[in-house]
Amino acid sequence: MPTIHCIPPQQTQSYPLKAVFKSESTTENTQFIIDNLYLGQLGLKEDYAEFKDEARIVVGDLKTLNLILALKKLREDTTEDIGYHTYKWIIPNLGLFHLRMNMLQLIHGAHWGSSETDPPQWDDASTLQWHADKLGNSRSTRSGKEVQAVDQLVRHSHHARVIAVMVDVLKEKIPSFDVKTREVDRRVMEKWLGDQEDSAAFDIVIDHVRDRLFETPSDIDTDPELDDEWQNHIRFIQHVRPYLLLKWSIQHADLGLIRQAMRECCILFQAPSGGKGNYAREMIRYLQLVDSNTVKPDVADYILLNALVNPSGRADGWYPMDQHLEFINLDIRNGLTDRRSSYDKGEWIRDNVLNIPFMRELKRGIEAAFGTTQGGQHRKKAAYEDIWHVANQLQSVSTQKTRNRVVAHTAPDLYLEGLKAFPDNVFKHNDRQRRAWDVEESIGDTGAGTQTPDYMPDIPLGLFDWEEEEQIGI
């Protein structure tokens, strides 16, 4: 994978704070929690100069960010103070784990194939439902709420479709790949790859696969002999690409690739059929913060990097800060589950929450020393056999273009929908922020006559070009 701006590996040190027994559902409670953390537990004073000259980054899910933004707006309108009580020193930072989770839900909703009340489409191999049935995890992925199961389904389905198209290309374009049967044995493919003395033939195959999978999606207006099933396949591959890029770039802390993935996610979230209006608005705000001229480049890098942690210190050991918080919450729930007698749960959390991360490391150390685990270990089944089995059923049939092939579920073109909705949504964002906006020069006509490209396979490096009187800096 090519890199753009990788951060050198560094081990993240995290320190838990005491539990605050307040529901984070109102701006009043949000203000109470912020005051408790900074003034109560960290011991900072309201008159500290750092609240006037510096900033603090707060990572959270979308609900948390919206409450903090609402609190900042409320204080801006109701106080003439400067410093702490304006809360301008807080920079809300989007949790990338929740961003990934919502991308999965977007992909699942667009490609599953039917709702829970609709009859299943057993013969449509372009739907995620068909792939879930073949991979044996339809029960855990039907609702789209189990993140790990849906992530595995999306990745395996993506790999199976790419392999199927690759086998089709080998059969059609490479004379040395001499296979007469419809299904291909995996060992035949491995032998052919091993027999290649250089990468020339393989490069040809990859170019053909890329050309097929990233062709411009069509509709019935542009192609009277439209193949709905093939269109579903290429739309799925193109929708999953930014998710896989986002996941890989987070794991390796490549800030450049994270920005590139987020630009494409931003466009996909704008699609009305995706039903992700809240994240559509938040992505515009967040990209203005970390991927525009509004913020100095080094400060933007600092904000984006603070959304990641790396407790292991490995080069590929990065993951989102909000996922780290979910791990701590899981340890707390497991600690509560381990209590066998009646007890006060609130009192137990109050007494033990600071020890949870350290007890987790102690438990792992003891288990490693004795070579056993408390919960037992289960061997994971190798995924490549299942992926190859699904790919074999797809190749030469489902992944081959067939004229006038119709399916019950047609996946939406999220890129096209998002590109059409994007200018208006940016205009609305700037209108809410009370920024001057030159409609004609910046986004053109946002009415019904907007000329939008049919398809944009590569999102440009800069989606935004706001001009501010002064950049944000720390």
Side-chain angles (χ1 to χ4, degrees):
M1 173 74 74
T3 60
I4 298 179
H5 183 191
C6 272
I7 301 299
Q10 50 189 283
Q11 189 170 14
T12 305
Q13 298 294 332
S14 62
Y15 304 94
L17 297 175
K18 295 179 181 178
V20 182
F21 293 91
K22 279 284 186 180
S23 172
E24 202 179 12
S25 58
T26 64
T27 53
E28 292 80 4
N29 287 353
T30 300
Q31 181 179 355
F32 177 88
I33 293 170
I34 293 173
D35 294 344
N36 178 277
L37 295 178
Y38 286 94
L39 302 181
Q41 299 194 42
L42 296 179
L44 303 179
K45 302 300 181 183
E46 297 178 4
D47 57 354
Y48 278 4
E50 61 190 69
F51 292 121
K52 302 177 184 178
D53 306 326
E54 300 179 4
R56 294 290 183 270
I57 298 173
V58 177
V59 180
D61 59 15
L62 190 56
K63 181 179 178 181
T64 301
L65 301 190
N66 286 336
L67 286 169
I68 293 176
L69 290 170
L71 174 62
K72 294 178 66 173
K73 184 68 172 64
L74 179 65
R75 300 299 292 176
E76 177 185 337
D77 294 338
T78 59
T79 183
E80 296 180 356
D81 295 337
I82 59 174
Y84 179 85
H85 288 291
T86 64
Y87 296 104
K88 290 182 179 179
W89 49 273
I90 297 180
I91 299 179
N93 200 0
L94 178 64
L96 299 182
F97 172 68
H98 286 83
L99 173 61
R100 276 184 45 207
M101 183 170 63
N102 278 271
M103 270 297 294
L104 281 175
Q105 293 173 354
L106 179 68
I107 294 168
H108 181 278
H111 294 278
W112 178 255
S114 64
S115 65
E116 296 185 11
T117 58
D118 293 335
Q121 307 298 326
W122 303 113
D123 58 341
D124 185 359
S126 65
T127 64
L128 268 180
Q129 184 179 19
W130 184 91
H131 287 249
D133 292 333
K134 297 300 179 181
L135 293 168
N137 57 0
S138 59
R139 179 175 298 179
S140 60
T141 57
R142 173 174 290 275
S143 66
K145 296 179 180 179
E146 295 189 26
V147 179
Q148 187 173 0
V150 177
D151 170 82
Q152 184 183 75
L153 170 63
V154 167
R155 288 186 293 106
H156 292 178
S157 176
H158 173 275
H159 301 340
R161 298 180 205 228
V162 173
I163 292 173
V165 174
M166 181 178 176
V167 172
D168 291 337
V169 170
L170 284 171
K171 287 181 175 181
E172 297 172 15
K173 306 293 183 181
I174 307 300
S176 60
F177 190 77
D178 188 17
V179 177
K180 304 300 183 183
T181 59
R182 194 196 74 79
E183 293 194 359
V184 179
D185 191 283
R186 180 172 56 85
R187 291 167 294 185
V188 174
M189 170 73 80
E190 293 174 348
K191 182 178 183 304
W192 181 85
L193 292 172
D195 291 342
Q196 304 309 304
E197 298 179 357
D198 54 48
S199 63
F202 188 70
D203 290 341
I204 294 174
V205 172
I206 295 301
D207 289 341
H208 281 291
V209 172
R210 182 175 58 246
D211 291 342
R212 291 191 182 189
L213 292 177
F214 288 94
E215 67 178 40
T216 303
S218 305
D219 55 35
I220 195 64
D221 296 328
T222 59
D223 184 3
E225 298 180 341
L226 186 68
D227 181 357
D228 286 340
E229 189 165 335
W230 173 248
Q231 292 299 311
N232 284 352
H233 282 306
I234 63 174
R235 286 174 182 172
F236 177 83
I237 294 295
Q238 293 168 10
H239 295 162
V240 172
R241 181 185 69 165
Y243 171 77
L244 297 179
L245 179 61
L246 179 65
K247 184 172 182 178
W248 190 94
S249 57
I250 288 174
Q251 185 178 357
H252 296 82
D254 190 324
L255 303 187
L257 290 179
I258 290 176
R259 287 187 174 97
Q260 181 175 330
M262 288 197 300
R263 294 175 199 130
E264 298 200 38
C265 292
C266 178
I267 294 296
L268 295 176
F269 281 135
Q270 308 303 316
S273 64
K276 291 293 180 181
N278 290 334
Y279 263 86
R281 291 186 290 272
E282 171 58 23
M283 288 302 296
I284 293 175
R285 182 200 73 86
Y286 191 61
L287 281 176
Q288 184 190 8
L289 185 65
V290 300
D291 192 31
S292 75
N293 295 329
T294 307
V295 181
K296 296 178 180 178
D298 55 340
V299 177
D301 288 346
Y302 184 78
I303 294 172
L304 190 54
L305 181 59
N306 272 265
L308 306 176
V309 295
N310 188 355
S312 66
R314 302 194 315 268
D316 61 347
W318 299 86
Y319 58 87
M321 168 69 78
D322 49 331
Q323 187 175 6
H324 183 65
L325 299 178
E326 294 295 340
F327 289 153
I328 295 177
N329 291 337
L330 177 62
D331 289 331
I332 294 174
R333 289 194 294 270
N334 289 339
L336 290 171
T337 303
D338 289 341
R339 308 278 78 76
R340 298 293 191 267
S341 59
S342 59
Y343 63 97
D344 187 330
K345 292 184 178 181
E347 189 68 24
W348 184 91
I349 293 175
R350 188 178 294 107
D351 294 340
N352 293 276
V353 69
L354 295 179
N355 299 325
I356 287 292
F358 307 104
M359 295 299 294
R360 175 183 59 198
E361 295 302 320
L362 178 61
K363 176 183 175 182
R364 290 176 178 173
I366 294 175
E367 291 175 345
F370 287 92
T372 184
T373 58
Q374 183 179 7
Q377 289 182 338
H378 301 279
R379 294 181 62 184
K380 293 184 178 180
K381 179 183 177 182
Y384 63 86
E385 289 287 0
D386 288 339
I387 293 174
W388 185 262
H389 172 70
V390 174
N392 245 335
Q393 297 185 59
L394 294 174
Q395 57 93 9
S396 299
V397 182
S398 182
T399 53
Q400 285 283 359
K401 281 189 177 182
T402 304
R403 294 179 178 179
N404 299 313
R405 183 166 52 176
V406 179
V407 294
H409 173 75
T410 302
D413 189 346
L414 299 179
Y415 272 111
L416 182 58
E417 289 186 28
L419 285 168
K420 288 182 177 179
F422 180 69
D424 281 340
N425 291 343
V426 174
F427 184 90
K428 293 174 183 177
H429 169 81
N430 283 277
D431 186 56
R432 286 194 299 269
Q433 300 299 319
R434 301 175 183 172
R435 291 192 177 93
W437 185 263
D438 190 332
V439 178
E440 293 183 355
E441 294 184 3
S442 301
I443 60 173
D445 179 17
T446 59
T450 302
Q451 296 297 319
T452 307
D454 291 336
Y455 183 67
M456 186 179 293
D458 295 315
I459 302 301
L461 293 181
L463 284 178
F464 311 102
D465 189 20
W466 282 284
E467 292 185 1
E468 296 290 331
E469 294 182 357
E470 99 181 286
Q471 289 182 318
I472 298 174
I474 298 178

